[in-house]
Amino acid sequence: MSEANTKKATLKLNGQEIELPIYSGTLGPDVIDVKDVLASGHFTFDPGFMATASCESKITYIDGNAGILLHRGYPIDQLATKTDYLETCYLLLNGELPTPEQKKEFDSQVRNHTMVHDQVSRFFNGFRRDAHPMAIMVGVVGALSAFYHNNLDLDDVNHREITAIRLIAKVPTLAAWSYKYTVGQPFIYPRNDLDYAENFLHMMFATPADRDYKVNPILAKAMDRIFTLHADHEQNASTSTVRLAGSTGANPYACISAGIAALWGPAHGGANEAVLKMLDEIGSVENVAPFMEKVKTKEVKLMGFGHRVYKNFDPRAKVMKETCDEVLGALGINDPQLELAMELERIALSDEYFIKRNLYPNVDFYSGIILKAIGIPTSMFTVIFALARTIGWITHWLEMQSTAHKIGRPRQLYTGETQRDIQR
Ligand code: CMC
């Protein structure tokens, strides 16, 4: 735990003074330790955790006003353009970028765990064919708990580390299969001669009938970058969910499944799918202005805009937009939805309503457009976010497991009935 500063906060409460310690991190605002408020018979109240630091962490730093996102100190734009996804995974897990030997060893470790137990493949049959792939992911990733429960000692660092590798390696297989299942195609097994993004695209799009299927390197590069840009994002809703579930000592596969469930919502990872649905609904550029009026009267939300933390710009969105231009240019795609998206962006960035509320395009505004260009069906967008975020979730889980932690157990402001007796 960080050392308390010499600075202290004083809370005056009913004539009593409570001194509260203040801690400083290496970057970012100081935090006030409010634990001692409890002894006075009060709770602190912060619905939505707007001003609450829920833990101490060394993994990711965000300065929302300056649009800064650092993983282990490195800016996201540098990671996205100078490393590949597995190097970023290594960095998140280990705190440093890998040497060439370490990279080779890590890549090979991940490649060797891409298969899933054959029994897992049968588990898919319990789902309806029209199930949303995210529903399947919540189920099958959670079901891995049944395969790796007995040999998982949470106090054993080796067991914890192999769990991280298994998850990074197996989630792409399960993600691709959740798509194959819904379109009624046979599962394609992982190929360890391909790199991480290529292997995923291969499992998504190859079929037994097309023996010569080759992954387009432009698409693999774009996919890898999308993975990197989504790798981690501090204590967001799904990561906090993973930490909360993990604080109880629950099986890590179950914790990641809880994270996937939390990510699914349209206010979080589900936004990338929602952006494309919104563009479909708007239909054409002349409908943008009336749609924006509906946004202003709060009938609808502008999906892919706004962020709890970023109030100037989302640094991931900047790189994503560049990638979007690159991919569409390289593929020669002239997507009318892109024109629509640009018109939405233009209006939002110049309109007082959006400026006043600091509403800027977030990462999901552009990722949906690239994913569509890659040929990924809309229902898989959030699954891809979950695949990429698995490294962030498991890194936070590992950090929590390797340090002293309490079960997460918030309290409440109770506004229900006072005690009463049953009148019978
Ligand atoms: N469209 C229209 N108005 C909005 C939007 C939006 N997307 N987002 C916020 N506002 C308005 C909101 O109505 C409120 O207005 P007022 O002050 O008049 O009441 C004001 O902006 C502040 O909004 P808030 O709901 O207090 O902001 P928040 O920090 O609680 O919510 C958010 C953040 C991301 C949930 C929200 O901006 C949103 O729902 N955005 C659309 C969904 C989206 O794109 N999510 C992906 C986030 S990035 C990927 C990820 O990390 O998950």
Side-chain angles (χ1 to χ4, degrees):
M1 185 68 193
S2 301
E3 289 300 307
N5 273 334
T6 45
K7 283 190 272 177
K8 295 214 179 323
T10 307
L11 180 67
K12 291 190 181 157
L13 203 62
N14 301 337
Q16 191 198 355
E17 284 200 354
I18 308 171
E19 268 206 346
L20 303 173
I22 294 184
Y23 308 126
S24 294
T26 46
L27 288 170
D30 288 351
V31 300
I32 305 169
D33 181 343
V34 293
K35 274 196 299 297
D36 292 347
V37 172
L38 185 62
S40 74
H42 293 79
F43 297 144
T44 56
F45 185 57
D46 181 19
F49 309 118
M50 304 284 287
T52 296
S54 63
C55 64
E56 183 178 331
S57 181
K58 294 181 168 47
I59 303 166
T60 289
Y61 172 75
I62 300 176
D63 179 336
N65 292 326
I68 290 172
L69 168 61
L70 309 176
H71 294 322
R72 303 286 191 184
Y74 295 112
I76 188 63
D77 56 326
Q78 292 183 25
L79 290 170
T81 52
K82 296 185 180 180
T83 73
D84 66 27
Y85 175 67
L86 281 187
E87 283 177 291
T88 297
C89 290
Y90 184 98
L91 171 73
L92 286 166
L93 284 174
N94 298 290
E96 295 297 337
L97 283 166
T99 62
E101 294 73 38
Q102 287 166 334
K103 176 175 162 50
K104 211 168 147 206
E105 165 68 20
F106 185 69
D107 281 10
S108 123
Q109 243 188 328
V110 172
R111 280 170 210 236
N112 282 322
H113 284 279
T114 50
M115 294 278 288
V116 292
H117 191 291
D118 199 46
Q119 201 62 28
V120 176
S121 64
R122 303 197 194 147
F123 187 75
F124 281 80
N125 289 329
F127 291 96
R128 286 168 53 131
R129 290 279 175 184
D130 61 357
H132 193 287
M134 279 298 274
I136 298 180
M137 287 300 280
V138 171
V140 290
V141 174
L144 293 181
S145 310
F147 293 84
Y148 304 106
H149 192 75
N150 293 336
N151 59 356
L152 185 58
D153 174 0
L154 295 189
D155 293 326
D156 184 328
V157 64
N158 296 320
H159 284 204
R160 296 198 304 257
E161 282 172 5
I162 196 66
T163 299
I165 299 290
R166 281 188 174 132
L167 273 158
I168 307 164
K170 293 182 198 311
V171 164
T173 310
L174 298 176
W177 288 6
S178 74
Y179 167 64
K180 288 295 197 191
Y181 183 75
T182 57
V183 289
Q185 289 182 9
F187 295 149
I188 300 295
Y189 282 85
R191 266 188 42 194
N192 293 351
D193 58 319
L194 298 178
D195 75 20
Y196 195 82
E198 285 169 346
N199 179 44
F200 173 66
L201 291 174
H202 180 261
M203 290 188 290
M204 279 289 294
F205 297 121
T207 62
D210 179 7
R211 284 165 178 268
D212 297 328
Y213 175 81
K214 291 257 177 317
V215 176
N216 179 337
I218 299 169
L219 303 191
K221 189 175 161 223
M223 197 74 253
D224 189 84
R225 192 168 283 182
I226 290 174
F227 290 159
T228 305
L229 289 171
H230 285 93
D232 188 41
H233 212 228
E234 205 225 49
Q235 311 306 327
N236 56 82
S238 55
T239 303
S240 297
T241 302
V242 171
R243 279 190 181 256
L244 195 58
S247 77
T248 69
N251 182 294
Y253 300 96
C255 297
I256 300 302
S257 165
I260 296 172
L263 185 78
W264 193 1
H268 193 6
N272 52 14
E273 182 175 344
V275 169
L276 263 272
K277 282 196 180 136
M278 175 186 77
L279 294 177
D280 270 346
E281 254 169 57
I282 298 174
S284 59
V285 172
E286 59 275 12
N287 297 333
V288 169
F291 180 81
M292 289 307 227
E293 285 314 306
K294 282 208 242 169
V295 173
K296 290 186 199 171
T297 52
K298 298 192 195 290
E299 271 175 77
V300 286
K301 263 191 174 178
L302 190 53
M303 299 314 289
F305 275 72
H307 198 274
R308 167 61 62 79
V309 181
Y310 296 121
K311 297 300 178 197
N312 266 319
F313 69 95
D314 178 339
R316 302 167 301 172
K318 206 167 149 243
V319 187
M320 197 65 95
K321 185 174 189 317
E322 283 161 20
T323 310
C324 187
D325 293 342
E326 265 170 47
V327 173
L328 296 177
L331 296 176
I333 292 180
N334 198 0
D335 186 343
Q337 276 195 332
L338 186 65
E339 201 192 324
L340 200 57
M342 294 309 107
E343 179 62 5
L344 276 183
E345 186 195 37
R346 192 191 62 74
I347 297 187
L349 294 181
S350 56
D351 188 302
E352 191 54 30
Y353 180 91
F354 298 94
I355 296 171
K356 211 172 116 206
R357 289 170 180 76
N358 298 313
L359 297 171
Y360 296 87
N362 59 48
V363 68
D364 285 333
F365 187 65
Y366 302 107
S367 67
I369 295 166
I370 311 182
L371 288 171
K372 187 178 170 218
I374 293 178
I376 305 277
T378 317
S379 63
M380 282 297 288
F381 288 6
T382 315
V383 171
I384 284 170
F385 193 157
L387 183 171
R389 184 56 60 81
T390 296
I391 180 59
W393 292 327
I394 200 65
T395 307
H396 282 272
W397 179 85
L398 285 168
E399 181 175 66
M400 187 177 68
Q401 296 300 333
S402 64
T403 47
H405 62 273
K406 284 186 174 297
I407 184 171
R409 178 45 172 105
R411 300 304 303 267
Q412 62 176 3
L413 171 66
Y414 177 69
T415 54
E417 295 289 347
T418 54
Q419 184 169 338
R420 51 184 171 163
D421 293 320
I422 298 174
Q423 302 296 330
R424 338 180 146 131

